[in-house]
Amino acid sequence: MKIALIASDFGDAPEAAKRLREKYNIVNTDEADVIVALGGDGHMLQTLHTFMQRRIPIYGMNRGTVGFLMNEYSEDRLEERIQTADPFTLHPLRMLVTTCDDRTVQYMAVNEVSLLRETRQAAKICISIDGKVRIPELVGDGLLVATPAGSTAYNLSAHGPIVPLGADLLTLTPLSAFRPRRWRGALLPHTVSVELDVITPQKRPVSAVADMHEVRDVRKVVIEEAREINLNLLFDREHNLAERIFTEQFVH
């Protein structure tokens, strides 16, 4: 097994990477069979984006803070842990943005795509699903579309539902909605196309964010699951991602 190591520049990750390089035969990423990501969830997201087209398995070890997408850190039995880990395949969201100056920009998101007001004025957004208008005017701070893997991140903080892995659902969650007051979001089949049109974008500017990639002054955003892209994560059997997401529903 040829292992590559990608470590965060922050916290305990650099020192941990140094010790692992001394203990194991670490290769370059272009030679590797698997990548070990050292850091927190943000570093894991960055690693997934960097190697999105490679389909190479990624095994994360937590040297950050939350580490929801990471395994526990240990310097022992690394090769054995990787070989016995449970694989899980994630499909990212594709965000296609049209800006106010008619530029077209595309980014991928592992966790969520969010639309956020840029100024003190509330955003006004028309929500269409598969070409049918469902909410003509959402007024508030914005909204987000999250994958099951991302449902425990920003989506959960915004009081959106937790979605178990394998449920083939996406969450559509408003952010501080003023109108309609009683709308708390929706669960959507993962096959849908979500179209978000910003109403009066020059007067009420909105930015669109796919994980860590932001586009400002957007006019229209189309969000779909990129089924052709497979992100392969590895998790220790006693601490797999599906179980962690399921367990989050019972945290009090």
Side-chain angles (χ1 to χ4, degrees), residues 125-145:
I125 301 169
C126 174
I127 303 173
S128 301
I129 309 296
D130 287 339
K132 182 174 182 178
V133 174
R134 294 294 181 176
I135 295 184
E137 186 177 272
L138 172 71
V139 183
D141 284 351
L143 77 164
L144 62 85
V145 177

Side-chain angles (χ1 to χ4, degrees), residues 30-69:
D30 55 357
E31 305 174 50
D33 302 312
V34 63
I35 291 174
V36 172
L38 280 180
D41 287 335
H43 180 67
M44 172 59 88
L45 287 177
Q46 187 175 3
T47 303
L48 288 169
H49 278 273
T50 301
F51 298 96
M52 191 166 284
Q53 304 301 327
R54 282 276 305 273
R55 298 195 175 191
I56 187 168
I58 298 176
Y59 180 88
M61 287 201 294
N62 188 22
R63 290 285 83 186
T65 50
V66 178
F68 195 82
L69 296 173

Side-chain angles (χ1 to χ4, degrees), residues 176-197:
S176 302
F178 180 69
R179 291 284 190 274
R181 283 190 185 275
R182 292 187 174 87
W183 187 63
R184 293 294 179 265
L187 290 172
L188 308 174
H190 69 117
T191 55
V192 301
S193 176
V194 180
E195 184 175 315
L196 307 171
D197 291 282

